[in-house]
Amino acid sequence: MNPLSERTLLHLDGEHPGDLHVLAYEGDPGTLEVTGLQTAENLVGYGALSPDGSAELVVTPTARRQGTGTALLRMLLDHGGARLRVWAHGRLPGSDELAARLGLEVSRELYFLRRTRAALPEPVWPDGIAVRTFVPGQDEAAWLEVNSQAFADHPEQGSWTAEDLAERIQQPWFDPSGFFLAVDSRTGAVAGFHWTKVEEGVGEVYVVGVSPAYQGSGLGKALTLQGLHHLQEDRGLDTIVLYVDGTNTAARALYTNLGFTTAALDVQFTPTTSL
């Protein structure tokens, strides 16, 4: 599992205004540098803070339990304050201990699920729904609108901009043939979507979203199955993974019924008191 999220990795170019990058070098863990990113010898730790308060940090294994992680987290706290939301990818005792020592508590859980090849039911589409693939240069605005509506309670996903979408469309893994849109044939409106991703021989349920107007119709399940069939049969993949928020009990139940099991758990820590 990568210790940094996709968003942070995409922002390592240092060209996104408002991002804070903190670098820790071998030596005194109490002396850190806030700087633009560059290749550097003796780099042992890195922390990132986005404008919305979301943060991550990573320390090379040889520098752990020497104060580097504590120093990084303290600096992120200094800059992020009460709005800080720091992710730990894979819940480990060391992360829990560090968070508790600096007054942070778990506020959110993100499940990492995995599925191996097995039989799948066919998708059943609600009346009036047709499915097609995403057309770059045509569907961006409609997708952004539905994504914003579907993830209104999850700002990391729901606040995506046209620039965020374009950045991902430009990635080597992007394949519009695995990006499915459910369209209401009566109005032409995009009702939902399933965007799949393939990297290093592993398929991913990248994002599934349904407009609130169509929730409860079975569209989410149909879209999920559409993408799973594509990854397993069209792409011939044996392993499919996904992330799902711990509070999304309906989606977790659906994924369990479709053969997914928990492979890891990410947790988000936030300050317990005002800073």
Side-chain angles (χ1 to χ4, degrees), residues 86-128:
V86 61
W87 281 103
H89 298 290
R91 189 164 191 181
L92 302 173
S95 300
D96 285 357
E97 293 168 9
L98 174 58
R101 191 162 62 248
L102 296 187
L104 304 175
E105 63 181 0
V106 174
S107 59
R108 188 176 167 196
E109 294 180 325
L110 191 66
Y111 285 79
F112 179 62
L113 308 184
R114 179 179 288 117
R115 181 186 190 276
T116 55
R117 178 179 289 272
L120 285 167
E122 292 297 321
V124 177
W125 301 99
D127 290 342

Side-chain angles (χ1 to χ4, degrees), residues 197-216:
K197 177 181 181 180
V198 179
E199 277 193 302
E200 299 180 354
V202 176
E204 181 178 348
V205 177
Y206 187 51
V207 196
V208 177
V210 175
S211 167
Y214 299 86
Q215 290 175 5

Side-chain angles (χ1 to χ4, degrees), residues 21 68 70 85 87 124 136 142 149 160 185 205 210 233 238 251:
H21 302 284
T68 304
T70 301
R85 298 177 286 108
W87 281 103
V124 177
Q149 295 171 353
W160 275 26
S185 58
V205 177
V210 175
E233 296 162 11
D238 293 325

Side-chain angles (χ1 to χ4, degrees), residues 11 17 23 36 48 57 71 103 128 136 146 157 187 229 246 253 258 273:
H11 285 213
L23 306 181
L57 62 92
V146 174
Q157 179 65 37
T187 65
H229 275 285
L258 293 177
T273 58

Side-chain angles (χ1 to χ4, degrees), residues 174-222:
F174 178 73
D175 178 9
S177 71
F179 192 164
F180 300 97
L181 301 182
V183 179
D184 190 323
S185 58
R186 296 158 293 193
T187 65
V190 175
F193 59 88
H194 183 172
W195 187 351
T196 68
K197 177 181 181 180
V198 179
E199 277 193 302
E200 299 180 354
V202 176
E204 181 178 348
V205 177
Y206 187 51
V207 196
V208 177
V210 175
S211 167
Y214 299 86
Q215 290 175 5
S217 67
L219 181 57
K221 180 177 181 180

Side-chain angles (χ1 to χ4, degrees), residues 87 107-113 154 243-253 265-267:
W87 281 103
S107 59
R108 188 176 167 196
E109 294 180 325
L110 191 66
Y111 285 79
F112 179 62
L113 308 184
H154 295 283
Y243 288 91
V244 59
D245 196 276
T247 62
N248 195 344
T249 54
R252 289 173 57 195
L265 178 67
D266 292 354
V267 292

Side-chain angles (χ1 to χ4, degrees), residues 7-163:
R7 181 195 182 280
T8 296
L9 292 172
L10 287 173
H11 285 213
L12 288 177
D13 56 14
E15 296 179 358
H16 294 76
D19 285 351
L20 175 78
H21 302 284
V22 184
L23 306 181
Y25 297 92
E26 188 176 10
D28 181 4
T31 303
L32 302 185
E33 180 179 353
V34 180
T35 181
L37 292 171
Q38 56 187 332
T39 303
E41 294 182 359
N42 303 321
L43 183 67
V44 295
Y46 165 73
L49 176 65
S50 66
D52 66 359
S54 181
E56 300 175 286
L57 62 92
V58 60
V59 177
T60 187
T62 57
R64 292 174 185 166
R65 297 202 175 271
Q66 298 176 28
T68 304
T70 301
L72 283 167
L73 185 52
R74 285 190 188 279
M75 183 165 280
L76 294 174
L77 275 165
D78 287 344
H79 287 270
R83 66 190 179 92
L84 185 77
R85 298 177 286 108
V86 61
W87 281 103
H89 298 290
R91 189 164 191 181
L92 302 173
S95 300
D96 285 357
E97 293 168 9
L98 174 58
R101 191 162 62 248
L102 296 187
L104 304 175
E105 63 181 0
V106 174
S107 59
R108 188 176 167 196
E109 294 180 325
L110 191 66
Y111 285 79
F112 179 62
L113 308 184
R114 179 179 288 117
R115 181 186 190 276
T116 55
R117 178 179 289 272
L120 285 167
E122 292 297 321
V124 177
W125 301 99
D127 290 342
I129 294 294
V131 63
R132 64 173 176 82
T133 55
F134 181 90
V135 179
Q138 169 186 298
D139 292 322
E140 284 84 350
W143 182 85
L144 284 166
E145 181 178 358
V146 174
N147 180 68
S148 177
Q149 295 171 353
F151 294 98
D153 296 330
H154 295 283
E156 289 138 323
Q157 179 65 37
S159 63
W160 275 26
T161 64
E163 291 73 23

